[in-house]
Amino acid sequence: MRTDDDSWDITESVGATALGVAAIRAYETSREDALFRDPYAAKLVGAVGSEGWNALMTGALSGQGVSDADLRGWSMGSVLVARTLYFDEYFADALRAGIRQIVILAAGLDARAYRLEWPSGTRIFELDQPKVLAFKARALAGDEPAADRREVAIDLRQDWPKALLDKGFELGEPTAWLAEGLLRYLPGHAQDQLLEKVVELSAPGSRMALNLSMDGDMADEFRERRRKVMAEAGIHIDLENLFYPWEDRKDPRDWFAMHRWLVTQGDPVTLLEDHGRTVPDAAKAGMGAHILMTATKPRGDDTL
Ligand SMILES: C[S@@+](CC[C@H](N)C(=O)[O-])C[C@H]1O[C@@H](n2cnc3c(N)ncnc32)[C@H](O)[C@@H]1O
C-alpha cells in the first residue's frame, strides 16, 4: 500500500518499476531488429545480481509461462519501446531548437545522459529518490556521462524545485523536461503540484514530454499470469497497488492546453509501425490507452 511519504530502494515498491522498464530496454537492445540500443540497461539490471531479474531481461522467463509472443504482445512492453523512441526524438528536437538545459523527473535507470549525443554545454538534471540514484551511481561507476549530469536526490512530492535550483538549474533558460513513467505513481493532487512547478520554472520556449497510462492497458488474465511468474522468480511488481487512480487526476493534455502550452500527441502503435515493427493485435487496444505527449510554452511572439 502506498503512503504520502513512502520511500524505496531499487528492488522495492516503485523502485522495482525502474528495474522493470530497464529490463525491457535490455531485452529490446538484445534483439537483432532492435529499434534502439541502450547498452547500459543490461548493466544496470545485472547490478542487482538476481537470477530473476536477469531472466526477465534476457527473456528467459518465457520458458516459465510468459512466452516470447507475450513479451512482444504485452502492451506495456510495446509502449516502452515506442516511448523510448518518442522521447529520444523529443530530446533531439529540443537540442536542434537550441535547448541545453534538460530535467529528467523520476529518472530511475534512464541512461540517456550516457547513451545519447549531447552538444557541449548541455546540463542534465536527474531527479529521483536517493536510494534509486545511489544504486545507479554504483552500477555505472566508471562510465562517463556524455553531458554535465547532475543528480538531484529528492522525493518529487517534496520541495524539489529548491533542490533543483541548489544544483544549478538556471531560471530564465529554456528547459526540456521529461516525466517518463512517473505520473501514475503520484496521486492526482501531487500530479497537479508537480506540473504547476514545471510551468513556474519554465522560461518561454521550454518543453515538457510525458506519458501516462489510462486504465485498461492490460488484459486481466495476462496480468495475473505475469504477476505469478514474476513472483516465482522473486520479482514483485504489483502495479495495481503502486498506481494511484486514473480517475482522480486531470488529463495532462487538457491541463497543458488550459495553461496555454502547445500540445502535440504521439501514437505508440503508429510510431512502432513507422519503424517497421509489427504490433500484435493483442497489444493494440492497450497501447491505445496510453498517452504520449509533448507541450511547448510559447515565446511571446508565438501564436496559439
Ligand atoms: C517506471 S520507473 C521510470 C523510470 C524512468 N523514467 C524510465 O522510464 O526508465 C518510475 C520511477 O519513478 C520514480 N518515482 C516515482 N515516484 C517518485 C517520487 N515521489 N519521487 C521521486 N521519484 C519517484 C521511481 O523511483 C522510479 O525510478
Side-chain angles (χ1 to χ4, degrees):
M1 266 309 171
R2 301 293 312 278
T3 58
D4 285 345
D5 60 353
D6 51 353
S7 64
W8 45 81
D9 207 329
I10 194 69
T11 55
E12 303 163 350
S13 179
V14 187
T17 70
L19 274 174
V21 291
I24 298 171
R25 286 194 287 266
Y27 180 73
E28 175 69 17
T29 301
S30 71
R31 287 175 57 142
E32 262 180 30
D33 62 348
L35 296 184
F36 61 81
R37 298 207 184 271
D38 178 351
Y40 298 94
K43 189 170 187 180
L44 286 157
V45 178
V48 177
S50 133
E51 271 180 36
W53 281 107
N54 287 340
L56 185 69
M57 75 171 158
T58 57
L61 278 185
S62 318
Q64 299 174 43
V66 178
S67 69
D68 196 50
D70 277 341
L71 274 173
R72 289 177 203 190
W74 175 34
S75 62
M76 192 171 285
S78 302
V79 162
L80 198 286
V81 175
R83 86 188 197 198
T84 303
L85 296 171
Y86 184 73
F87 295 136
D88 282 1
E89 180 51 32
Y90 159 76
F91 281 130
D93 198 51
L95 294 176
R96 281 192 291 271
I99 294 179
R100 298 289 182 268
Q101 181 159 259
I102 309 293
V103 180
I104 305 182
L105 300 163
L109 306 181
D110 180 334
R112 287 189 176 89
Y114 296 81
R115 71 177 174 83
L116 297 183
E117 280 184 31
W118 304 95
S120 70
T122 307
R123 280 190 309 280
I124 304 178
F125 298 90
E126 292 193 5
L127 285 71
D128 208 301
Q129 287 219 353
K131 289 183 198 162
V132 171
L133 288 179
F135 168 82
K136 187 175 183 176
R138 283 195 303 277
L140 296 185
D143 288 299
E144 276 299 316
D148 174 0
R149 173 180 174 272
R150 303 185 189 186
E151 294 182 354
V152 187
I154 183 111
D155 191 297
L156 291 162
R157 296 159 296 187
Q158 295 172 1
D159 189 1
W160 60 267
K162 179 179 181 313
L164 182 62
L165 288 162
D166 288 349
K167 289 282 179 157
F169 177 87
E170 295 281 351
L171 284 169
E173 202 179 302
T175 303
W177 302 85
L178 174 63
E180 179 179 12
L182 167 64
L183 297 182
R184 283 299 294 271
Y185 302 109
L186 299 175
H189 66 87
Q191 174 179 309
D192 282 348
Q193 281 166 10
L194 180 106
L195 298 184
E196 291 287 356
K197 296 292 177 205
V198 166
V199 168
E200 272 172 44
L201 293 167
S202 289
S206 294
R207 301 164 181 210
M208 173 66 161
L210 61 84
N211 71 302
L212 178 60
S213 60
M214 299 180 266
D215 278 340
D217 64 346
M218 219 189 284
D220 285 348
E221 183 198 328
F222 176 60
R223 197 197 306 267
E224 211 25 68
R225 191 150 47 93
R226 188 184 55 107
R227 194 201 326 259
K228 192 162 160 274
V229 170
M230 294 204 349
E232 279 166 9
I235 300 172
H236 301 280
I237 302 183
D238 187 1
L239 284 183
E240 289 70 62
N241 285 325
L242 297 178
F243 273 7
Y244 283 95
W246 160 252
E247 297 78 31
D248 295 350
R249 69 190 65 237
K250 300 188 185 82
D251 185 322
R253 294 168 293 192
D254 301 335
W255 194 93
F256 276 100
M258 270 174 46
H259 286 73
R260 302 183 66 74
W261 287 43
L262 299 162
V263 175
T264 61
Q265 276 201 78
D267 171 38
V269 175
T270 312
L271 230 151
L272 291 184
E273 290 180 342
D274 284 352
H275 281 80
R277 176 71 50 93
T278 305
V279 181
D281 285 343
K284 283 187 180 164
M287 292 175 77
H290 205 91
I291 297 169
L292 273 185
M293 61 158 276
T294 68
T296 303
K297 185 173 191 169
R299 298 175 193 274
D301 53 356
D302 288 342
T303 47
L304 280 176

